[in-house]
């Protein structure tokens, strides 16, 4: 049981380049999330998904797109990277059950530097 | 979701119990108290959560006051590896309308050897 994994661990991009971050979970969770964390700040939600084929915007969605074609995978895309997108990106997944609340499990993060 | 207040930093001696307080005076009846921690450069890690009753698991204990306006996370025998930022988050059960967690600044717990 690997939990939540993220690929790649670190990436350097030039302004205007595109890339896709991959998140995978093996816990059969319905919900998945993408956050970003800037230095000295808390996590901010970019996009989330409540199930296969569905996505929704979070707090800071501009400049990002997502897809959830398979239940276990959640992809975050940057179509045209900007230096302001330099950050650490965390993926998370969760269950949701009445009486048990909701607990999110996080991946190890992807460090992205945009030059 | 209700707002939480935590001290910015705390020290604790290795081997002693670390008690981390959190105030959530505006908590609603259907809101849970969650604790997460983030060790430097790693993803946040779930620790424990509760609604009304005190909870204990292999990592920690959570003590919630009777009026639910504050809580304390207890790490019974702190080790150097427990040095991290600890986040207290109050969140309602969304019943399937999932959204993100709101992370404040948390408490930076430093375990001293």
């Amino acid at each position: 049981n690997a939990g939540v994994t993220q690929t790649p661990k670190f990436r350097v991009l030039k302004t205007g380049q595109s890339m896709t971050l991959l998140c995978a979970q093996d816990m059969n969770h319905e919900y998945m999330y993408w956050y970003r964390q800037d230095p000295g700040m808390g996590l901010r939600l970019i996009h989330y998904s409540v199930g296969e084929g569905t996505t929704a915007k979070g707090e800071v969605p501009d400049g990002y797109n997502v897809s959830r074609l398979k239940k276990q995978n959640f992809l975050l895309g940057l179509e045209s990277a900007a230096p302001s997108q330099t950050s650490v990106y965390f993926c998370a997944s969760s269950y949701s059950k009445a009486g048990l609340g909701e607990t999110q499990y996080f991946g190890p993060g992807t460090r992205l530097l945009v030059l | 979701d209700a707002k939480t207040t935590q001290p910015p930093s705390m020290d604790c001696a290795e081997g002693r119990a670390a008690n981390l307080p959190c105030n959530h005076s505006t908590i609603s009846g259907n809101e849970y108290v969650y604790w997460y921690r983030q060790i430097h450069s790693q993803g946040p890690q779930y620790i424990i959560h509760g609604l009304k009753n005190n909870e204990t698991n292999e990592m920690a204990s959570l003590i919630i006051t009777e009026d639910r306006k504050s809580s304390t996370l207890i790490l019974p025998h702190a080790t150097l590896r427990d040095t991290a930022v600890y986040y207290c988050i109050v969140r309602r059960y969304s019943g399937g309308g999932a959204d993100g967690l709101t992370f404040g600044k948390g408490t930076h717990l430093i375990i001293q050897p």
Side-chain angles (χ1 to χ4, degrees):
Chain A
N1 189 335
V4 179
T5 58
Q6 293 183 233
T7 309
K9 290 183 171 54
F10 178 71
R11 185 74 183 271
V12 179
L13 288 179
K14 295 181 179 179
T15 296
Q17 287 185 317
S18 63
M19 78 164 294
T20 300
L21 284 67
L22 172 63
C23 175
Q25 54 96 4
D26 61 3
M27 296 174 281
N28 201 35
H29 286 165
E30 287 294 329
Y31 309 132
M32 298 187 74
Y33 313 82
W34 275 107
Y35 294 85
R36 62 177 287 174
Q37 185 174 33
D38 300 321
M41 296 182 66
L43 280 72
R44 292 184 293 170
L45 183 67
I46 305 171
H47 285 279
Y48 65 96
S49 169
V50 300
E52 184 177 323
T54 69
T55 62
K57 294 181 179 179
E59 180 186 356
V60 289
D62 294 342
Y64 305 95
N65 57 76
V66 289
S67 64
R68 184 100 180 269
L69 299 180
K70 294 182 179 180
K71 184 177 183 179
Q72 63 268 31
N73 296 335
F74 195 27
L75 278 63
L76 178 70
L78 286 73
E79 292 184 347
S80 179
S84 61
Q85 294 178 304
T86 293
S87 190
V88 181
Y89 292 85
F90 291 103
C91 176
S93 70
S94 74
Y95 64 83
S96 178
K97 294 182 180 179
L100 295 179
E102 297 159 342
T103 298
Q104 294 191 14
Y105 296 88
F106 287 81
T110 294
R111 282 154 183 76
L112 177 64
L113 174 62
V114 182
L115 301 176
Chain B
D1 294 335
K3 183 179 177 179
T4 62
T5 303
Q6 300 178 251
S9 65
M10 294 180 63
D11 288 347
C12 179
E14 188 177 17
R16 304 296 294 269
N19 296 275
L20 291 87
C22 180
N23 286 320
H24 32 79
S25 58
T26 61
I27 191 170
S28 300
N30 63 349
E31 289 180 317
Y32 291 79
V33 180
Y34 287 84
W35 284 85
Y36 286 78
R37 72 180 182 183
Q38 188 172 24
I39 297 170
H40 182 62
S41 298
Q42 298 183 20
Q45 178 188 21
Y46 165 78
I47 301 173
I48 198 168
H49 76 284
L51 184 61
K52 296 180 181 179
N53 301 320
N54 298 337
E55 301 288 345
T56 296
N57 63 20
E58 66 278 4
M59 290 183 66
S61 295
L62 173 61
I63 308 298
I64 302 174
T65 57
E66 191 170 344
D67 63 7
R68 303 210 323 125
K69 294 184 177 181
S70 65
S71 60
T72 301
L73 178 73
I74 301 172
L75 307 178
H77 304 287
T79 71
L80 297 178
R81 289 176 295 180
D82 291 322
T83 291
V85 178
Y86 287 76
Y87 298 98
C88 171
I89 299 169
V90 172
R91 172 181 170 83
R92 66 179 179 83
Y93 169 65
S94 65
D99 52 11
L101 296 171
T102 301
F103 287 81
K105 295 185 181 299
T107 295
H108 188 194
L109 176 66
I110 300 172
I111 306 301
Q112 304 284 359

